[in-house]
Amino acid sequence: MNAYAKYFVKKLFWYLVTLVIAVSLNFFLPRMIEGNPVAMIVSQMTKGMTDSDTIKRVYETFIQEFGVDKPLWQQFLIYVQNLFTGNLGTSFGLYPKKVTDILASAVPWTIGLQLPAILVGWILGNVLGAVAAYKKGVFDKVVFPVALFVNSIPFFTLAIIMLYVFALTLGWFPLSGGYDFQMIPQLSFEFIGSVIRHHTLPFLSIVLVTIGGQAIGMREMSIYELNADYVLYSKLLGIRDSRISRYVFRNAMLPQITGLALSIGTMVGGSLICEIVFSYPGIGTWLFTAIRQLDYPLISGCTLLIALSVLLANFTIDIIYGFIDPRIKASQMEDQ
């Protein structure tokens, strides 16, 4: 087995161990929340009913339906068995809707919000950071403090501020939702316009914070590369500054590209609170709703999806680095 194969097997083993731990926590942690979800559901369904026997039969029916009458260890085995068939269970709060159906409808909204925001914020932030490092002077003195200030603001704080100012006070944008509630989703200009209006504020709240973080990182990496020995050597050789700057910023971009890959991989679990603030119909809003309703299957489904996306993103980055890391290549050459 060569060095890369050993590296791959080792990484795969530890990620599988992490996945097992994540699956276990996804099952047990929601069930540690105080409260009886079945009692909450039955109380809502039996409002106005006075027959205690009927209410009791409804309660017992749901207890058996959701399987919470079984020992916890047996519930866990059933949960793991269902995972291998792609069955995440039935939602308690939205009975009889399947958790997979809920997640399938929420993931496109989350990706549609966060993927463009991450890409736009990454591009603008890196451009601003590179220009600030190269030009310096007044531009650097303005961009860096502003980027540092914006980056220190949490997503949800900026989201609340923007919601209050632009939606509640000025009334320029809607307060919540992914589109107007009276509209039926369809491929029409009116519906697309409504989606864009609801999309704007959460999109901007993510972009602005992302720009700040990327600008700071790119500025620091660019300054480090500009002070490297190869830059001074290139200048002594008479190489044009424009050509040197291309090499400098290409090298400075490497860790930024890694950060972009991780951001894209983890976007399912990123900025969830921003979705909650705007009641955007993504994973974050459904997770918040599930926690309020003690909806164990939906909580487990949301957190499992987030955990899988994070693990897959990190594993992909580790594998890519395995190809380009000179230490692993050197070990492989020694084995040969």
Side-chain angles (χ1 to χ4, degrees):
M1 185 180 293
N2 59 32
Y4 183 76
K6 292 178 181 178
Y7 172 85
F8 177 82
V9 171
K10 181 180 178 181
K11 289 291 182 181
L12 182 61
F13 171 76
W14 285 112
Y15 275 100
L16 288 175
V17 171
T18 307
L19 178 61
V20 171
I21 296 173
V23 169
S24 302
L25 292 177
N26 284 335
F27 176 82
F28 288 107
L29 287 180
R31 286 158 178 80
M32 293 181 182
I33 303 174
E34 294 185 3
N36 187 338
V38 178
M40 294 174 60
I41 298 171
V42 172
S43 64
Q44 294 176 358
M45 296 188 63
T46 57
K47 283 183 179 179
M49 296 178 61
T50 57
D51 189 350
S52 59
D53 291 335
T54 303
I55 296 174
K56 184 179 179 181
R57 284 197 298 270
V58 172
Y59 180 82
E60 292 174 350
T61 300
F62 275 100
I63 284 286
Q64 295 175 0
E65 173 72 19
F66 295 136
V68 293
D69 57 331
K70 298 180 177 63
L72 197 59
W73 65 269
Q74 192 173 351
Q75 294 181 45
F76 178 70
L77 292 179
I78 295 173
Y79 170 74
V80 173
Q81 183 180 356
N82 289 336
L83 283 181
F84 285 102
T85 62
N87 180 14
L88 297 177
T90 304
S91 171
F92 289 1
L94 299 173
Y95 180 83
K97 202 167 185 178
K98 296 293 184 182
V99 172
T100 50
D101 295 336
I102 298 172
L103 296 180
S105 65
V107 168
W109 288 99
T110 294
I111 295 177
L113 170 63
Q114 297 192 32
L115 181 59
I118 290 171
L119 292 176
V120 171
W122 185 82
I123 293 171
L124 294 179
N126 282 288
V127 170
L128 289 175
V131 173
Y134 190 72
K135 295 292 184 181
K136 298 182 180 179
V138 177
F139 191 83
D140 185 34
K141 292 178 181 179
V142 173
V143 170
F144 182 70
V146 171
L148 187 61
F149 172 74
V150 174
N151 185 60
S152 64
I153 302 175
F155 286 109
F156 61 89
T157 302
L158 186 60
I160 292 172
I161 294 172
M162 296 182 69
L163 184 66
Y164 177 78
V165 175
F166 296 106
L168 187 61
T169 304
L170 298 176
W172 292 354
F173 298 98
L175 284 169
S176 61
Y179 53 88
D180 294 334
F181 293 109
Q182 72 273 14
M183 299 185 67
I184 299 175
Q186 57 183 327
L187 192 60
S188 65
F189 289 110
E190 186 179 2
F191 177 75
I192 294 174
S194 177
V195 170
I196 292 174
R197 287 196 304 273
H198 286 77
H199 180 272
T200 303
L201 280 185
F203 170 80
L204 290 177
S205 66
I206 298 174
V207 166
L208 291 176
V209 176
T210 304
I211 288 176
Q214 294 297 329
I216 293 171
M218 187 61 182
R219 175 186 177 276
E220 298 301 320
M221 288 302 304
S222 298
I223 291 175
Y224 174 81
E225 292 294 333
L226 285 169
N227 294 324
D229 292 337
Y230 74 89
V231 174
L232 177 60
Y233 182 70
S234 300
K235 289 181 179 179
L236 293 175
L237 291 176
I239 300 175
R240 291 177 300 175
D241 286 345
S242 59
R243 187 172 183 181
I244 296 174
S245 63
R246 285 200 298 270
Y247 287 112
V248 166
F249 297 130
R250 186 182 301 173
N251 292 335
M253 284 294 294
L254 290 176
Q256 300 297 97
I257 293 174
T258 302
L260 174 64
L262 287 174
S263 298
I264 292 176
T266 58
M267 65 183 168
V268 174
S271 308
L272 295 185
I273 301 180
C274 180
E275 294 182 2
I276 296 172
V277 170
F278 291 100
S279 297
Y280 204 74
I283 299 296
T285 300
W286 282 116
L287 179 58
F288 181 65
T289 302
I291 292 173
R292 288 191 305 169
Q293 297 178 346
L294 296 179
D295 193 339
Y296 299 155
L298 186 53
I299 295 174
S300 298
C302 291
T303 52
L304 180 62
L305 181 62
I306 294 169
L308 286 174
S309 64
V310 173
L311 289 174
L312 182 61
N314 282 276
F315 182 68
T316 303
I317 295 298
D318 280 339
I319 296 304
I320 293 174
Y321 268 114
F323 280 109
I324 63 178
D325 193 332
R327 293 170 296 181
I328 297 177
K329 289 183 177 181
S331 300
Q332 189 169 355
M333 293 178 63
E334 290 176 1
D335 293 342
Q336 293 175 351

